[in-house]
Amino acid sequence: MPNRRRGEVALQIGEARYTLCLTLGALAELEDAFGVQDLMALAERFGTGRLSSRDLLALLAISLRGGGHALTDAEVASLPLSDGIAPVAAAIADLLAATFGAAPNPPQPQGA
């Protein structure tokens, strides 16, 4: 069960239930992945609410690893989305709000 005080968020994908978390190491990995210098730049980047599928994939993979799931980017990319992208986007929105504070614009995959 996810611990909201630690910034953990649950996500059901297919039959598996995962915990997403942005640990300090995960945040550092996000800074590197998005080519930004600090947490403020990350918050600004995510605050727009506009994320590409590549952005969602990076956020999902990094937050899964932060939540204790030893999955590679390729394994995360292969996870079945039988319920569509909406549950993933909603979990990422919850995760970003738990990490950076309430976001006025939930992430929307571009083209959605």
Side-chain angles (χ1 to χ4, degrees):
M1 174 158 272
N3 182 339
R4 290 292 292 177
R5 288 184 171 212
R6 291 192 336 211
E8 296 175 346
V9 172
L11 174 61
Q12 184 84 28
I13 300 179
E15 298 298 317
R17 186 167 174 86
Y18 298 96
T19 297
L20 309 180
C21 187
L22 290 177
T23 61
L24 188 56
L27 289 168
E29 192 175 345
L30 282 175
E31 287 174 349
D32 186 53
F34 288 97
V36 298
Q37 295 298 313
D38 55 36
L39 290 174
M40 183 60 84
L42 268 182
E44 289 171 2
R45 170 90 159 79
F46 300 144
T48 66
R50 293 181 54 101
L51 298 174
S52 69
S53 56
R54 194 170 341 161
D55 295 342
L56 280 176
L57 178 58
L59 276 160
L60 181 59
I62 291 167
S63 63
L64 281 166
R65 288 190 288 271
H69 307 283
L71 297 170
T72 66
D73 289 350
E75 290 170 327
V76 174
S78 296
L79 290 173
L81 295 179
S82 54
D83 294 326
I85 194 73
V88 174
I92 294 295
D94 287 347
L95 180 67
L96 294 174
T99 304
F100 295 102
N105 302 317
Q108 297 294 319
Q110 290 181 359

